[in-house]
Amino acid sequence: MALSGDVTSSLWLRYKGIAMVIVAASLWGLSGTVAQFLFQQEGLDVNWLVTVRLLVSGVLLLLFAAWRGAGASIWSVWCDRTTRVRLILFGVAGMLGVQYTYFAAIEAGNAAMATLLQYLGPLFVFVYVALRLFKLPSRTECMALILALLGIFLLVTNGKVGQLTVPGSAVAWGLASAIALAFYTLYPAQLLERFGSAVTVGWGMVIGGVGIGLVNPVWQVSVEHWSLITVGMILFVIFFGTLLPFFLYLDSLRFIKPTETSLVACAEPLAAAISSIIWLKVSFGPLQAVGGLFIMVTVFLLSARTDGEVQTDGLNA
């Protein structure tokens, strides 16, 4: 009886962890659609939203880390010169890079397209690791590469050669977002191991926010008109599109494996696609849907590897 109870409890905790990641991924996907509405319907400037999101979320994440007992780590990260340089580079090239390119892709195209293209990040991680280790890809990895290329083609052309269904700038920003995500995944490994996710990502957000804030001060907001809906959606992007899903994602690691979280987090592009189609009436051709499915299969194939290579952490912080 005791053994049966332990098994039931273990299963319940695992299901709880999976549910937490699904909610987190869905909120990330929804926040992309909300951002698309703000850019294309409310005329909000992408630079301002990225600046505010990074600064507010970064500060609150650091406060969250302090509340969880990591107060000493918050400041010790600045004690070593090498660590400072790595953290600043991560904040500017990693955190700001992935945030800005993602939102720029949404502004130029739509949230579903931007999210799917960003999820090619694991493919660039695989390519980098393979080149660095001079290792030939396995049969599964070759299949993932072929599916990814075919998926991109169908997603941006709907099967019509020489004709893009979305602006070329949206495709360029989306692929840049995938490359930035790969860097964001690979580069901070030492920082994450030493200081933890909340401290590393929190400072990365603050640094990225300060960096873009020097070019686009937060008090210089550009929006066609303010309303309660506009303010509410901005708050949604910051709190329900960043802080809450980040907390749920991190806390889920107590119940399920990191490889499982990266697989379940694939619900993000699905949420972005569904919400874009239903709410914003974004058209999605049948072959585009097949292309998106191919990209999702690519993520599954690469994330499910168990050979010890670097894997994406699934965070669209």
Side-chain angles (χ1 to χ4, degrees), residues 21-33 53 99 102 106 111-112 114-116 118-119 177 181 241 245 249 261-276 296 314-317:
V21 179
I22 291 176
V23 172
S26 300
L27 287 173
W28 274 323
L30 287 173
S31 72
T33 306
R53 186 192 194 203
Q99 291 287 316
Y102 174 65
I106 292 176
T115 307
L116 283 168
Q118 187 187 62
Y119 259 68
S177 178
L181 179 62
Y249 186 91
T261 62
S262 63
L263 290 172
V264 179
C266 291
E268 179 183 350
L270 181 62
I274 293 175
S275 58
S276 295
M296 296 309 303
L315 287 178
N316 184 9

Side-chain angles (χ1 to χ4, degrees), residues 4 63 73 106 165 211 219 221 233 279 294 299:
S4 177
L63 291 175
S73 298
I106 292 176
T165 57
W219 55 85
V221 56
M233 288 187 173
W279 178 27
F294 283 172
V299 177

Side-chain angles (χ1 to χ4, degrees), residues 168-236:
S169 58
V171 179
W173 281 119
L175 292 176
S177 178
I179 295 172
L181 179 62
F183 177 83
Y184 168 90
T185 300
L186 291 167
Y187 186 77
Q190 295 180 4
L191 294 171
L192 290 169
E193 182 178 356
R194 184 175 175 185
F195 301 103
S197 298
V199 172
T200 302
V201 175
W203 275 121
M205 286 182 168
V206 171
I207 293 168
V210 170
I212 191 174
L214 295 175
V215 180
N216 187 84
V218 69
W219 55 85
Q220 293 182 3
V221 56
S222 175
V223 64
E224 292 182 0
H225 59 85
W226 284 102
S227 67
L228 289 178
I229 293 178
T230 305
V231 175
M233 288 187 173
I234 291 172
L235 293 176
F236 180 92

